[in-house]
Amino acid sequence: MQTWRTTTRLPLAVDALAADEADPAVARLVAAFGGAPASVEEERLVGEPPRRSRRLRFASGGEILLQDGIVAAVTLHVVPVPGVPRGLDLTAWLGAGDDTLDVLRAALGTRRGFGGFGTPYFVLGEAYARCDYRDRRGWNESGNLLALTVSLEQPGRNHQPDTDFCPTCGDLLVRGPGDALDLEATVGTLAAAVADGRLREDPSWVPLSDVLPLATSGLMERVEAHLTCTTCATVLCLTLPRGGAPAVARTSLDRAQRRPMGPVPPVEEWGDEARVAAARDAMHYVDHEPGAWFLVEERGVLLFDARYVVGSMADDSALVRLDEGELAAYRAGGHDYLTALARRIHDGSPHREDSVFRGRDLYRGPDAERLRAEVSAAIRDHTWLAAQRRG
């Protein structure tokens, strides 16, 4: 029915998207928010190459985010935030007397979607209205909606513009004279953010500690590390192209996984003595069956990572240490035996309490986080995603 076009004030926000700050559509939105902003946040440089981001916040509860002078997002704050002393009147803007998802859907008369767990949104023509609920849940109860953000970026698939001002990851890059990126200082700042838990390193890409020596070696066309913000889920992609300037893209997980990168050369070709020694003691890839299992080795111990289905919309992996009987069968049957073992694990449903594999699943033990990261690093160049990265 698309009633949002005629019964709400959301067209004011949609029309302003991608418009210059001086555009009449932006002037109409500013007037609807009550005129001059109550606060204008200091412009910040975001990413590399940098863009200039600025926020205008209005006493009525409205907010306009500008990137290089262009409107990238419009937020309707339902509760007060710094610079916004009161929440927006939902009844006046949306014609909704309640903020539950079903009531909003009825008021807007448009399609609803979810950008991952806990991020509902509505489709507004070519734009999207993301609903931010308290603790990313509670949309069936009144009073939990915090804000509604309108942009041209689909939640879950594309990077959300308002994360430019994320207090955790929005301002981590270090710049020198002329706002030039200080690469070594930035790598140090990012490493500190990983160490204290603000960022989470993706072991499927190049470790942050390896990007500089790998780039210096010139062996890879592009060296790339991925770091995910633990607050807003933005993925920071630090890229060092051979012969080119470094870049830091801010993107979504979906887009990050599609970025290109070739296999990492053997550490003996680019690492120092300490790095080579560390690699000798690290977990190593041995074999795999696409979509089914991986075999890795750690200090002479063979560990078997097998996928299994949890339900119609979810799957997981179990990591088991091959016992003596399985080792003997593997020596005799090789790859085919492991495929049969993977089927037994799948059929054995390790997530169930009565599964014979549940107690053997190292991913359920105290070292689960470390093991998942080390297995991911070991199989980095042999996954389906790695094949897509190579094109």
Side-chain angles (χ1 to χ4, degrees), residues 255-332:
R255 297 296 182 188
Q257 291 177 334
R258 302 167 188 262
R259 295 172 65 87
M261 190 182 78
V264 177
V267 66
E268 291 80 8
E269 297 180 14
W270 53 268
D272 58 20
E273 289 185 12
R275 182 65 181 85
V276 172
R280 281 197 296 267
D281 293 333
M283 190 178 288
H284 295 280
Y285 163 86
V286 178
D287 194 6
H288 83 289
E289 176 64 30
W293 56 264
F294 285 93
L295 183 66
V296 295
E297 176 268 332
E298 183 179 39
R299 297 183 179 88
V301 175
L302 289 179
L303 302 174
F304 188 59
D305 178 296
R307 296 182 69 83
Y308 63 90
V309 174
V310 176
S312 60
M313 297 182 64
D315 58 10
D316 201 353
S317 294
L319 184 69
V320 299
R321 175 174 176 166
L322 297 186
D323 62 25
E324 291 302 322
E326 291 162 346
L327 284 170
Y330 168 56
R331 294 187 190 103

Side-chain angles (χ1 to χ4, degrees), residues 6-131:
T6 56
T7 63
T8 79
R9 305 179 80 178
L10 288 176
L12 289 166
V14 173
D15 290 347
L17 295 175
D20 184 271
E21 188 174 1
D23 191 281
V26 180
R28 289 192 293 271
L29 178 61
V30 169
F33 281 155
S39 69
V40 178
E41 205 150 344
E42 183 177 350
E43 186 175 75
R44 65 165 56 179
L45 298 180
V46 180
E48 180 65 27
R51 60 173 172 265
R52 298 182 179 274
S53 292
R54 186 160 52 98
R55 284 195 299 198
L56 313 179
R57 286 182 158 177
F58 299 82
S60 62
E63 177 185 309
I64 299 175
L65 173 67
L66 298 153
Q67 293 178 338
D68 294 328
I70 303 298
V71 176
V74 177
T75 298
L76 311 180
H77 291 284
V78 181
V79 299
V81 296
V84 178
R86 68 176 185 273
L88 200 81
D89 184 346
L90 277 184
T91 302
W93 270 83
L94 306 181
D98 198 355
D99 62 5
T100 62
L101 204 56
D102 286 342
V103 170
L104 292 179
R105 184 179 186 181
L108 302 185
T110 188
R111 183 166 60 87
R112 182 185 68 187
F114 278 84
F117 295 110
T119 309
Y121 65 86
F122 294 100
V123 179
L124 307 178
E126 299 297 318
Y128 303 89
R130 189 190 76 232
C131 302

Side-chain angles (χ1 to χ4, degrees), residues 164-179:
D164 280 3
F165 285 86
C166 173
T168 299
C169 72
D171 196 22
L172 288 175
L173 306 191
V174 181
R175 301 188 183 277
D179 293 328

Side-chain angles (χ1 to χ4, degrees), residues 98-226:
D98 198 355
D99 62 5
T100 62
L101 204 56
D102 286 342
V103 170
L104 292 179
R105 184 179 186 181
L108 302 185
T110 188
R111 183 166 60 87
R112 182 185 68 187
F114 278 84
F117 295 110
T119 309
Y121 65 86
F122 294 100
V123 179
L124 307 178
E126 299 297 318
Y128 303 89
R130 189 190 76 232
C131 302
D132 295 329
Y133 283 90
R134 187 172 284 107
D135 299 325
R136 301 185 67 189
R137 59 178 184 268
W139 46 77
N140 293 323
E141 300 174 3
S142 300
N144 285 324
L145 182 65
L146 303 177
L148 188 146
T149 297
V150 181
S151 78
L152 296 174
E153 308 300 336
Q154 183 177 352
R157 176 168 295 180
N158 298 333
H159 174 62
Q160 298 299 288
D162 54 315
T163 61
D164 280 3
F165 285 86
C166 173
T168 299
C169 72
D171 196 22
L172 288 175
L173 306 191
V174 181
R175 301 188 183 277
D179 293 328
L181 182 72
D182 185 328
L183 179 58
E184 289 192 10
T186 293
V187 170
T189 300
L190 295 175
V194 171
D196 64 23
R198 286 174 290 160
L199 299 180
R200 184 176 61 253
E201 193 167 19
D202 187 340
S204 300
W205 296 75
V206 175
L208 191 58
S209 58
D210 289 342
V211 294
L212 293 178
L214 263 172
T216 300
S217 74
L219 294 172
M220 294 183 68
E221 182 177 347
R222 51 186 285 142
V223 178
E224 187 157 302
H226 285 194

